[in-house]
Amino acid sequence: MALLTLGCARNEVDSEELAARLSGDGWSVTTDGEGADVVVVNTCGFVEAAKRESIDTVLDASDTGAKVVATGCLAERYGNTLAKDLPEADAVLGFDHYPDISARLNAILAGETIESHTPRDRRTLLPITPVERSAATVVVPGHGTAVPRTPGHVAADPRTPAHLKVLRQRLDRGPVASLKLASGCDRRCSFCAIPSFRGAFVSRTPDELLAEAGWLATQGARELVLVSENSTSYGKDLGDPRLLEKLLPQLAAVPGIVRVRVSYLQPAETRPGLIEAIATTPGVAPYFDLSFQHSSEPVLRRMRRFGSTERFLQLLDEVRRHEPAAGARTNVIVGFPGETRADVAELERFLGSARLDAIGVFGYSDEDGTEAATLPGKIRKDTIKRRYEKISALADELASERAAERVGELVEVLVESVSDGVVEGRAAHQAPEVDGSTTLTGAPAGEMKSGDVVRARVTASIGVDLEAALVDGQVR
């Protein structure tokens, strides 16, 4: 069978849990749909373009003659409605189907009709009080278990094969692996539907994370990217909101791991202690993935978020006080209901002063079931398009300028590919896929391999990408 994954790194972790469940039950799992008898599409339900890609992938898979199953966020969010509108899918399965996914696929191959998932607000499945959630019996994708968790319990359910320490099978043997800190979100941003189908915030225990980190290292991972819907909330449901600060040095000390990167930081929850831990802990990338979304106070308030241009700049100043070369990226939304020209100008002022390494720009669109979809002051689509193009062009220019500022810096590069004499990797300020990359010049390509870590000095920039020359030739 084939497992096709769309969307974010969190979905990739979920797919690797599904792969472990299926392999443990005797399935041969690939990521190539050619020749597969059944294709599982782990869909994305984030924005309109992602939804369209998910549907197109299901349609393409159905053209091969294979049985096709849609699962993941789009399936969880729309369930039986999606099944009705997408008859090409032989089944639409939600998160609650993950523990017995193998039995479901066997039934589908046998010609049985599987009742499609019925959507529900997953925030209602867990107690309102975070510290009461660890005892709840709820399927949480990427956590590997649907049983109550206790300290010291490694993420596995009773059917996990004995040879597996964690319920996960790597589908990509590259030197970078995502490690899911937590799932869900307790914030109520007015534009975001994710909490309704991903549920309330649930942390994984440190024991689970350290066990999985050690296992990933044995599978070739050298960099761990910590992912969640909101990493700054980690530990609040385990009784310690500073738990991430304590966990980072432990993860960085896992044998074989050379870099730990934290993603998905909520600016309003980014504490001074966490900033210091990320910026100064050896083995942790001084990298800050801060979801600002906007900087105009009126827009932020309508988004049900907090902050302002000045507060966000102060936050970045605090980061750079600890580590002047720290990397920083963000995403922003333009065209939110009620956004004025003055709001756009304020966003431009912020971006012009922030010195960000990467800026993702999104044009606002209504999302089903969100508060923002009901707000007055909707912006015309052509106006959103113009603002998107304007801010995108500015973002590209500013990120290129920031990359040029790095010429002369000493960087540590994790090699990701060696092809036709070209050695390419990423410095600490460059996250996989979403940021730029670094090409090593003068590197002995025949002596280098994916996963090597070298020191280099930046010699040039091309857009957000860098060129760098080896400093001492030492590889670790």
Side-chain angles (χ1 to χ4, degrees):
M1 61 81 59
L3 185 53
L4 309 182
T5 307
L6 302 171
C8 64
R10 301 184 295 273
N11 254 18
E12 293 171 4
V13 176
D14 296 352
S15 284
E16 293 192 346
E17 177 193 307
L18 290 173
R21 291 184 184 277
L22 290 164
S23 294
D25 283 335
W27 292 83
S28 176
V29 182
T30 75
T31 57
D32 183 0
E34 288 297 322
D37 51 0
V38 59
V39 177
V40 176
V41 182
N42 189 352
T43 61
C44 177
F46 180 43
V47 293
E48 194 59 40
K51 297 175 192 174
R52 184 72 256 171
E53 182 184 13
S54 295
I55 291 171
D56 288 344
T57 302
V58 170
L59 295 175
D60 290 343
S62 71
D63 288 341
T64 68
K67 296 288 187 180
V68 182
V69 174
T71 189
C73 290
L74 188 69
E76 177 65 36
R77 186 175 180 184
Y78 293 106
N80 45 18
T81 300
L82 179 65
K84 180 179 179 181
D85 293 340
L86 193 64
E88 291 82 359
D90 294 280
V92 175
L93 305 182
F95 298 151
D96 291 331
H97 294 116
Y98 283 21
D100 61 352
I101 185 71
S102 180
R104 304 284 175 164
L105 296 192
N106 279 321
I108 291 166
L109 280 178
E112 298 179 26
T113 299
I114 301 296
E115 184 177 355
S116 296
H117 158 68
T118 300
R120 54 180 173 171
D121 189 335
R122 295 192 73 85
R123 290 172 294 192
T124 65
L125 303 182
L126 289 166
I128 294 176
T129 304
V131 294
E132 295 178 356
R133 293 174 187 166
S134 62
T137 305
V138 175
V139 174
V140 183
H143 290 222
T145 180
V147 299
R149 298 168 301 144
T150 57
H153 173 72
V154 175
D157 68 16
R159 297 183 305 162
T160 304
H163 67 284
L164 290 180
K165 292 183 179 179
V166 292
L167 191 57
R168 183 169 179 179
Q169 175 180 312
R170 290 204 73 186
L171 297 172
D172 176 2
R173 289 306 183 97
V176 182
S178 296
L179 179 61
K180 185 175 280 193
L181 276 178
S183 290
C185 186
D186 289 339
R187 302 191 72 87
R188 294 294 181 265
C189 301
S190 64
F191 56 84
C192 184
I194 291 175
S196 66
F197 56 86
R198 275 290 184 178
F201 185 87
V202 182
S203 301
R204 298 179 67 195
T205 66
D207 286 346
E208 290 178 15
L209 294 167
L210 290 167
E212 188 165 323
W215 177 81
L216 287 169
T218 69
Q219 303 297 303
R222 304 218 71 199
E223 176 177 321
L224 300 177
V225 181
L226 309 185
V227 300
S228 70
E229 275 74 30
N230 179 5
S231 297
T232 39
S233 283
Y234 178 72
K236 72 174 188 179
D237 52 327
L238 301 178
D240 187 353
R242 298 182 182 274
L243 197 53
L244 182 55
E245 299 160 35
K246 302 172 184 176
L247 178 65
L248 287 175
Q250 296 176 279
L251 289 171
V254 171
I257 299 301
V258 296
R259 181 187 290 166
V260 177
R261 184 184 303 276
V262 186
S263 60
Y264 304 105
L265 300 174
Q266 164 59 244
E269 297 179 27
T270 305
R271 305 170 301 279
L274 181 58
I275 292 174
E276 183 176 1
I278 294 173
T280 66
T281 301
V284 175
Y287 174 84
F288 291 80
D289 176 15
L290 293 157
S291 179
F292 291 123
Q293 302 300 353
H294 213 283
S295 71
S296 168
E297 288 191 76
V299 175
L300 287 167
R301 298 305 174 267
R302 286 193 294 276
M303 288 180 169
R304 295 201 179 278
R305 295 176 68 88
F306 301 94
S308 66
T309 293
E310 301 309 325
R311 288 187 181 183
F312 292 160
L313 292 177
Q314 288 170 6
L315 176 57
L316 291 168
D317 285 344
E318 177 71 5
V319 166
R320 290 165 181 146
R321 183 176 69 82
H322 289 288
E323 175 48 75
R329 82 171 327 271
T330 197
N331 294 318
V332 297
I333 298 172
V334 295
F336 193 79
E339 182 188 62
T340 65
R341 292 179 182 176
D343 295 326
V344 177
E346 183 67 3
L347 178 59
E348 291 178 278
R349 183 172 80 87
F350 166 67
L351 295 176
S353 301
R355 297 174 60 234
L356 297 166
D357 292 278
I359 305 164
V361 183
F362 295 87
Y364 172 81
S365 62
D366 287 338
E367 283 293 320
D368 297 336
T370 63
E371 179 186 354
T374 68
L375 291 178
K378 289 295 195 307
I379 309 297
R380 287 172 36 171
K381 289 185 177 180
D382 58 340
T383 301
I384 293 176
K385 182 174 183 292
R386 285 197 305 272
R387 292 178 181 178
Y388 168 81
E389 291 172 347
K390 180 180 181 181
I391 298 300
S392 293
L394 176 63
D396 289 344
E397 178 185 348
L398 293 171
S400 296
E401 290 177 0
R402 179 69 183 115
E405 290 179 12
R406 292 192 179 276
V407 173
E409 280 187 8
L410 191 65
V411 295
E412 192 171 71
V413 179
L414 172 66
V415 174
E416 292 193 322
S417 67
V418 181
S419 177
D420 297 326
V422 178
V423 181
E424 189 170 2
R426 290 176 298 99
H429 71 279
Q430 296 170 320
E433 299 184 11
V434 295
D435 299 337
S437 63
T438 298
T439 301
L440 294 171
T441 59
E447 302 174 16
M448 305 195 73
K449 64 183 184 302
S450 176
D452 285 344
V453 178
V454 298
R455 294 192 338 138
R457 193 168 298 279
V458 180
T459 57
S461 65
I462 306 170
V464 296
D465 298 323
L466 303 178
E467 291 184 357
L470 288 184
V471 170
D472 51 26
Q474 292 185 354
V475 176
R476 50 180 194 106

